[in-house]
């Protein structure tokens, strides 16, 4: 679609109503078997059923042994995980390459595949999307999310003329992607601004990814500020930073299983967790096997235990430092 035609149509009817839903958006849940070893939930209002625990892509690309990464992906899928997370920039693209290799021989049809784009412009988004499609060895990615919405200006850039939203919409129309979401880890105010900007453009996000953990409740809380808005809008919530790359566990205030149980108790569709060895994979399935929604008393007790450690964000450095801000270190990725 020519840009002038795009702007003309959206001005007349709004972005959302200007986009006919392609056939590819029909849920594929019927093609995926479910395992008694895993919990499955609805993904917002998409009609998709996904595993309540998703396999994070970043850690799968950190290993020296590619075969071990592939084995872990196969094992996770075989045991019941069907939500796979990734990103165009993870480990220089290696995470997507390995996941693509693992999804051969029938595995692609068993999963709901998500990856993320850093590009804020049509040109950069399209370039990254084509690279991700190639690395993942697929014609269609189930969910593509705008990555690292961590600056107040990010929503403006994405929804500006020739912004990445135009590319994402065109890719959806072409059947290259099925759903559109966004992620971020810095501040609830930025997420809220992204949602407000989308509403002004009559656009509805399918998913939203954010930190939800036992410390988030006390400091710049996504769970308190963003989650109610997302639920009201019917957006599927993807929780991340359950362990905060290990920082939260190093506070010695919470054990891994109870941290996972806390996340699963929240009204989220998926908890995305890093799995880089058999032990962490077993831990994820043990959390699913033993899960019972926590009572209000149990939640209050757990949060009281973490309150002091969480008060200044010391164990959530993704909120308070630039340590986790890949696009800040590599602004060229934004375009």
């Amino acid at each position: 679609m020519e840009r002038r035609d795009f702007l003309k149509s959206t001005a007349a009817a709004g972005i959302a109503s200007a986009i006919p839903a392609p056939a590819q958006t029909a849920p594929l849940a019927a093609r995926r078997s479910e395992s008694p070893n895993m919990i499955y939930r609805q993904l917002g209002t998409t009609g998709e059923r996904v595993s309540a625990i998703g396999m994070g892509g970043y850690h799968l690309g950190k290993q020296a042994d590619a075969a071990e990464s592939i084995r872990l992906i196969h094992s996770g899928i075989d045991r019941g995980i069907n939500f796979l997370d990734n990103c165009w920039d993870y480990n220089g693209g290696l995470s997507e390459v390995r996941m693509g290799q693992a999804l051969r021989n029938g595995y692609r049809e068993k999963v709901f595949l998500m990856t993320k784009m850093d590009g804020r412009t049509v040109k950069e988004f399209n370039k990254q999307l084509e690279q991700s499609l190639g690395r993942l060895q697929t014609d269609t990615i189930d969910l593509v999310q705008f990555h690292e919405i961590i600056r107040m200006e990010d929503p403006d850039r994405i929804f500006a003329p020739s912004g990445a939203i135009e590319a994402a919409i065109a890719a959806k129309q072409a059947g290259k992607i099925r759903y559109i979401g966004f992620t971020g880890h810095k501040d609830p105010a930025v997420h809220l601004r992204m949602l407000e900007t989308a509403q002004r453009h009559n656009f509805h996000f399918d998913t939203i990814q954010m930190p939800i953990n036992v410390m988030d409740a006390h400091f710049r809380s996504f769970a308190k500020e963003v989650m109610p808005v997302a639920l009201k809008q019917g957006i599927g919530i993807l929780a991340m930073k359950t362990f905060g790359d290990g920082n939260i566990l190093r506070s010695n205030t919470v054990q891994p299983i109870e941290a996972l149980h806390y996340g699963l108790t929240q009204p989220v569709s998926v908890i995305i967790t890093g799995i880089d060895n058999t032990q962490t994979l077993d831990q994820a399935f043990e959390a699913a096997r033993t899960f019972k929604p926590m009572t209000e008393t149990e939640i209050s007790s757990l949060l009281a235990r973490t309150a002091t450690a969480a008060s200044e964000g010391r164990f959530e450095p993704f909120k308070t430092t630039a340590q986790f801000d890949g696009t800040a270190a590599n602004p060229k990725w934004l375009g």
Side-chain angles (χ1 to χ4, degrees):
M1 180 183 291
E2 293 293 333
R3 177 172 169 261
R4 62 179 179 274
D5 296 329
F6 176 89
L7 294 176
K8 182 178 179 181
S9 64
T10 55
I15 288 179
S17 57
I19 309 164
Q24 289 86 349
T25 60
L28 300 180
R31 292 166 53 183
R32 304 188 195 105
S33 59
E34 296 185 4
S35 166
N37 300 316
M38 180 50 59
I39 303 161
Y40 298 90
R41 294 177 175 175
Q42 294 294 320
L43 182 61
T45 53
T46 64
E48 303 284 349
R49 277 180 62 82
V50 290
S51 54
I53 294 179
M55 185 174 288
Y58 180 76
H59 289 76
L60 292 167
K62 289 176 65 177
Q63 296 174 316
D65 186 357
E68 176 62 10
S69 294
I70 293 169
R71 188 194 67 78
L72 281 171
I73 295 170
H74 286 171
S75 180
I77 296 170
D78 290 341
R79 294 171 67 178
I81 289 176
N82 70 13
F83 189 99
L84 299 186
D85 157 273
N86 222 307
C87 181
W88 171 83
D89 70 46
Y90 283 169
N91 299 292
L94 186 60
S95 288
E96 287 188 331
V97 169
R98 290 184 177 177
M99 192 164 282
Q101 293 170 338
L103 293 179
R104 296 172 180 168
N105 302 320
Y107 275 94
R108 173 66 185 93
E109 289 73 24
K110 297 179 180 181
V111 303
F112 186 93
L113 179 61
M114 178 269 279
T115 196
K116 316 177 196 83
M117 302 296 134
D118 295 316
R120 303 299 192 244
T121 65
V122 166
K123 180 180 179 181
E124 200 63 28
F125 183 98
N126 282 336
K127 183 181 78 173
Q128 293 171 9
L129 177 61
E130 291 304 318
Q131 290 174 335
S132 291
L133 286 165
R135 294 168 182 166
L136 292 167
Q137 302 187 35
T138 187
D139 294 326
T140 303
I141 300 170
D142 295 302
L143 169 63
V144 168
Q145 301 194 100
F146 299 111
H147 188 222
E148 285 195 4
I149 305 303
I150 58 176
R151 294 159 285 261
M152 280 296 188
E153 66 269 22
D154 283 336
D156 300 301
R157 293 199 64 191
I158 286 171
F159 280 92
S162 297
I165 191 67
E166 293 184 19
I169 289 167
K172 183 176 180 180
Q173 288 179 316
K176 294 181 179 181
I177 65 180
R178 300 178 59 238
Y179 302 106
I180 301 171
F182 74 93
T183 84
H185 56 253
K186 189 62 65 181
D187 194 309
V190 182
H191 267 48
L192 291 174
R193 191 162 193 281
M194 186 68 158
L195 291 173
E196 291 164 2
T197 303
Q199 281 197 316
R200 285 201 307 272
H201 289 81
N202 297 314
F203 184 83
H204 178 266
F205 281 110
D206 297 300
T207 60
I208 183 171
Q209 185 170 331
M210 53 191 167
I212 296 177
N213 57 61
V214 297
M215 294 198 171
D216 168 78
H218 303 291
F219 183 82
R220 294 186 195 168
S221 180
F222 285 85
K224 290 181 179 178
E225 298 183 42
V226 181
M227 189 156 61
V229 179
L231 289 171
K232 186 176 181 180
Q233 295 184 17
I235 300 173
I237 299 172
L238 308 176
M240 64 176 172
K241 310 296 187 189
T242 303
F243 305 142
D245 201 32
N247 287 290
I248 291 172
L249 298 181
R250 284 189 282 274
S251 72
N252 296 317
T253 60
V254 63
Q255 295 300 312
I257 295 292
E258 60 183 348
L260 287 164
H261 283 175
Y262 174 83
L264 288 169
T265 299
Q266 306 306 308
V268 305
S269 296
V270 183
I271 292 177
I272 298 168
T273 187
I275 295 172
D276 54 8
N277 55 57
T278 300
Q279 290 71 35
T280 54
L281 182 64
D282 290 343
Q283 177 179 275
F285 278 95
E286 179 65 10
R289 185 188 69 82
T290 59
F291 174 66
K292 293 180 181 178
M294 297 176 69
T295 66
E296 289 297 326
T297 299
E298 290 170 333
I299 291 173
S300 296
S301 176
L302 179 57
L303 294 183
R305 198 194 317 160
T306 61
T308 300
S311 62
E312 297 179 351
R314 184 161 61 98
F315 294 101
E316 290 187 284
F318 43 88
K319 293 180 180 178
T320 58
T321 75
Q323 178 183 347
F324 291 80
D325 302 350
T327 56
N330 300 275
K332 63 183 180 181
W333 294 347
L334 301 174

